[in-house]
């Protein structure tokens, strides 16, 4: 079986208002990859995710999912649609958009009920709600939840179908530190379980988790690994991203290498200090 | 924005939030809650047809009191139920019923003369017609509210879907329902945000202008959110049909309820036409 999940070839998309959203974008996404799509606000990231989810279709170019063309005609066919929807889940940026049923339970069950038999739908719904620790919210109205609970309910709604590919639109946006850490942990877990994750994000911590990243600003402006991205000041500036503080700190002492974790930064710093004869970092600082 | 508009929006928002979204009584144990939604839907349609066709005020009054009894049997506080019905009645009847009471529309025996030249008076026949019309609306609204108050929205949609109501109608109704809450939240937020930036009291014309701008902005947001909401449903496998966690089971008691409702309405209709 091909490792390629998505093949995107020179797609362009223009909004009904006439404004160009994406121009000649090409990318390949492989099975089990965690890919970050980065770019400033209005760069077309959400539009790209919607195209990958077969919700809108490019006016030019081609998108293939597992070798099959992803077109309006194909997705009009009920069987094809069922096949595609059970494999791809899309977490929208705004949880209020995703939560529209009278209770959290019905919301999470919405997808499974459309794609599975009732018994199976109920079983997978309960299982994912218990797993994400929101089973106690099952009878609550989704609009009365906190931001973190809403996000978890939306994630449960997406993961209830156990999709092979998960599209995440700004998954850590507007969340407090605890919930943000939770979501980042969950993204890592999805990757460890072999899921293909494509996320549009501004969050530097989320980008660090990625295997590869694409920076778009209507057009493709960068494709590579996060480490390469963090070393490209020009690209970061165009994506409205800051150079991570730890990178700036190392640069200020003359280290050009880019660490992705604190452990890597501590090791680089220790090596540099030893080389310069400044002594060594205390053990607890390295830890 | 004027206090009147602010207050109205806040009250409408809290009323709809409570009335439409709480589903407080739909999940409780009660007479109508235990009836199959499909049987309730058929009974509702028949009852409304009979209400609309009824000619005598006594019959319409009887038809109005029937849902009150059923509401009580279903554990719905009567005060709450009556309040919900009579909030809608003036909206539906006000524009139509008011002119009917005058001799210009309904000639007859004058009761109160308002103007001599030109001659304008409230007539007995006009009042009778307005009363019949208002009661008819109140009775019809009572049956409709009784259905929605004792049935989960998703079950109402599933019942409609079972009766082969076209998918597009289900989609539009579902989206509308889901949408009302989002729109109210946006409207309230934008109202509060304007209020927090106001440093002086606005005049009436100014406040109406502000309200107009607010409505325009809301319209644009509505369009954008509506699209995304639909995409969110589509993304999770929505196929233009309603699915519910609750599977309907048409039992003997449901058949008994439906048969009783049909028989009762038939008797009322015949009595209204031929015996009163």
């Amino acid at each position: 079986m091909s490792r390629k999940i998505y093949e995107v070839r020179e797609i362009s998309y223009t909004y009904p208002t006439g404004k160009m959203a994406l121009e000649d974008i090409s990318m390949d996404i492989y099975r089990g990859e965690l890919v970050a799509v980065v770019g400033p606000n209005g760069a077309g990231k959400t539009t790209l995710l919607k195209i990958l989810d077969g919700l809108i279709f490019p006016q030019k170019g081609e998108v293939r999912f597992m070798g099959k063309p992803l077109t309006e005609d194909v997705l009009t066919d009920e069987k094809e649609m069922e096949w595609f929807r059970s494999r791809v889940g899309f977490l929208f940026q705004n949880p209020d958009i995703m939560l529209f049923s009278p209770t959290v339970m019905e919301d999470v069950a919405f997808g499974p009920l459309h794609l599975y038999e009732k018994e199976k739908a109920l079983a997978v719904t309960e299982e994912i709600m218990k797993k994400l620790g929101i089973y106690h919210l099952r009878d609550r109205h989704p609009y009365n939840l906190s931001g973190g609970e809403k996000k978890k309910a939306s994630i449960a709604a997406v993961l209830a179908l156990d999709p092979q590919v998960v599209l995440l639109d700004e998954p850590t946006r507007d969340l407090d530190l605890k919930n943000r850490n939770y979501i980042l942990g969950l993204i890592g877990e999805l990757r460890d379980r072999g899921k293909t994750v494509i996320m549009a994000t501004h969050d530097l911590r989320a980008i660090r988790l990625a295997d590869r990243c694409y920076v778009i600003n209507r057009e493709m402006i960068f494709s590579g690994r996060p480490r390469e991205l963090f070393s490209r000041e020009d690209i970061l500036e165009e994506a409205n991203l800051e150079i991570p503080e730890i990178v700036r700190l190392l640069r200020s002492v003359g280290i050009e290498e880019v660490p992705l974790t604190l452990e890597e930064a501590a090791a680089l710093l220790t090596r540099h200090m030893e080389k310069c004869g400044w002594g060594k970092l205390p053990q607890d600082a390295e830890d | 924005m004027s206090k009147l508009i602010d207050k109205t929006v806040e009250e409408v928002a809290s009323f709809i939030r409570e009335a439409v979204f709480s589903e407080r009584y739909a999940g409780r144990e009660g007479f109508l809650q235990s009836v199959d939604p499909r049987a309730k839907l058929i009974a509702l349609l028949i009852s409304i047809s009979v209400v609309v066709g009824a000619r005598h005020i006594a019959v319409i009054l009887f038809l109005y009191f029937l849902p009150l009894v059923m509401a009580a049997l279903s554990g719905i506080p009567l005060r709450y139920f009556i309040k919900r019905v009579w909030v809608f009645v003036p909206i539906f009847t006000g524009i139509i019923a008011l002119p009917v009471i005058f001799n210009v529309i309904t000639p007859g025996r004058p009761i109160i003369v308002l103007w001599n030249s030109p001659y304008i008076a409230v007539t007995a026949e006009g009042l009778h017609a307005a009363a019949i019309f208002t009661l008819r609306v109140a009775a019809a609204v009572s049956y409709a509210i009784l259905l929605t108050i004792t049935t989960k929205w998703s079950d109402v949609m599933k019942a409609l879907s079972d009766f082969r109501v076209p998918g597009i109608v289900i989609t539009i109704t579902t989206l509308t329902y889901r949408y009302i809450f989002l729109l109210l939240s946006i409207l309230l937020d934008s109202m509060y945000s304007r209020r927090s930036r106001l440093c002086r009291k606005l005049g009436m014309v100014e406040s109406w202008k502000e309200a107009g701008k607010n409505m325009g902005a809301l319209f644009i947001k509505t369009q954008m959110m509506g699209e995304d909401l639909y995409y969110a449903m589509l993304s999770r496998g929505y196929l233009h049909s309603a699915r519910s966690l609750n599977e309907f089971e048409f039992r003997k008691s449901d058949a008994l309820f439906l048969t009783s409702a049909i028989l009762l309405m038939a008797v009322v209709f015949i009595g209204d036409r031929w015996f009163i």
Side-chain angles (χ1 to χ4, degrees), chain A residues 190-232:
Chain A
L190 286 172
R191 191 203 17 210
D192 295 344
R193 281 170 50 205
K195 304 283 180 196
T196 307
V197 182
I198 306 167
M199 60 177 167
T201 187
H202 277 117
D203 189 334
L204 291 176
R205 285 180 61 198
I207 298 170
R208 277 188 209 133
L209 286 176
D211 299 312
R212 285 190 303 129
C213 50
Y214 288 103
V215 180
I216 61 169
N217 191 2
R218 206 181 63 184
E219 296 167 315
M220 182 70 76
I221 53 174
F222 173 84
S223 152
R225 301 201 172 269
R227 205 182 295 274
E228 292 167 50
L229 172 66
F230 290 141
S231 65
R232 294 281 303 271

Side-chain angles (χ1 to χ4, degrees), chain B residues 59-80:
Chain B
V59 174
I60 301 173
L61 264 174
F62 171 75
L63 289 170
Y64 172 71
F65 282 109
L66 213 55
L68 293 183
V69 174
M70 285 197 277
L73 289 173
S74 307
I76 299 157
L78 282 183
R79 220 176 126 194
Y80 171 81

Side-chain angles (χ1 to χ4, degrees), chain B:
Chain B
M1 226 180 284
S2 78
K3 219 172 177 176
L4 175 73
I5 300 175
D6 279 15
K7 268 271 170 231
T8 309
V9 171
E10 277 170 343
E11 286 297 318
V12 168
S14 81
F15 174 79
I16 292 184
R17 192 173 294 145
E18 162 61 28
V20 184
F21 293 93
S22 74
E23 296 201 332
R24 203 196 308 172
Y25 300 104
R28 282 193 189 172
E29 297 264 312
F31 171 60
L32 282 175
Q33 288 88 335
S34 62
V35 177
D36 186 302
R38 290 167 299 181
K40 278 192 272 187
L41 200 61
I42 297 172
L44 164 83
L45 292 175
I46 294 170
S47 308
I48 290 181
S49 309
V50 174
V51 166
V52 170
R55 291 169 177 175
H56 298 92
I57 206 157
V59 174
I60 301 173
L61 264 174
F62 171 75
L63 289 170
Y64 172 71
F65 282 109
L66 213 55
L68 293 183
V69 174
M70 285 197 277
L73 289 173
S74 307
I76 299 157
L78 282 183
R79 220 176 126 194
Y80 171 81
F81 182 68
I82 292 168
K83 205 172 131 193
R84 277 198 60 181
V85 171
W86 286 94
V87 161
F88 290 107
V89 173
I91 301 169
F92 292 127
T93 60
I95 302 164
I96 302 164
L98 197 68
V100 169
I101 63 172
F102 299 108
N103 64 320
V104 185
I105 307 285
T106 321
R109 187 167 55 86
I111 292 179
I112 306 164
V113 178
L114 298 174
W115 207 269
N116 279 317
S117 176
Y119 183 70
I120 296 173
V122 175
T123 63
E125 287 77 358
L127 276 178
H128 184 256
I132 283 199
F133 180 71
T134 308
L135 264 177
R136 248 188 216 145
V137 172
V141 170
S142 296
Y143 285 104
I145 284 181
L146 199 57
L147 173 81
T148 55
I149 219 169
T150 58
T151 321
K152 285 187 175 175
W153 183 254
S154 51
D155 288 344
V156 176
M157 286 300 108
K158 189 174 183 303
L160 288 174
S161 197
D162 283 359
F163 288 131
R164 307 247 175 261
V165 170
I168 189 75
V169 177
I170 302 274
T171 306
I172 290 170
T173 320
T174 312
L175 276 177
T176 308
Y177 171 81
R178 286 163 185 174
Y179 219 5
I180 294 170
F181 195 97
L182 275 180
L183 288 182
L184 282 173
S185 300
I186 294 173
L187 187 64
L188 274 179
D189 282 349
S190 67
M191 202 180 78
Y192 292 142
S193 110
R194 271 174 202 273
R195 196 190 283 171
S196 76
R197 284 175 283 160
L198 269 181
C199 307
R200 64 186 172 88
K201 207 177 165 199
L202 293 181
M204 203 169 91
V205 177
E206 248 180 327
S207 72
W208 282 102
K209 273 186 188 166
E210 285 301 315
K213 282 183 206 162
N214 217 340
M215 282 161 71
L218 186 69
F219 179 74
I220 294 166
K221 282 179 194 163
T222 306
Q223 201 188 0
M224 286 158 71
M225 289 188 90
E227 205 171 75
D228 274 349
L229 204 68
Y230 179 66
Y231 286 150
M233 290 165 76
L234 212 58
S235 171
R236 278 147 71 190
Y238 181 63
L239 292 168
H240 299 272
S241 66
R243 308 277 164 96
S244 169
L245 278 173
N246 306 326
E247 203 58 60
F248 297 154
E249 194 190 338
F250 202 81
R251 293 156 303 176
K252 277 182 188 163
S253 56
D254 299 316
L256 187 68
F257 169 82
L258 191 56
T259 315
S260 313
I262 294 171
L263 281 176
L264 180 66
M265 287 302 147
V267 169
V268 171
F269 184 73
I270 292 166
D272 179 68
R273 290 288 157 130
W274 288 285
F275 294 103
I276 298 178

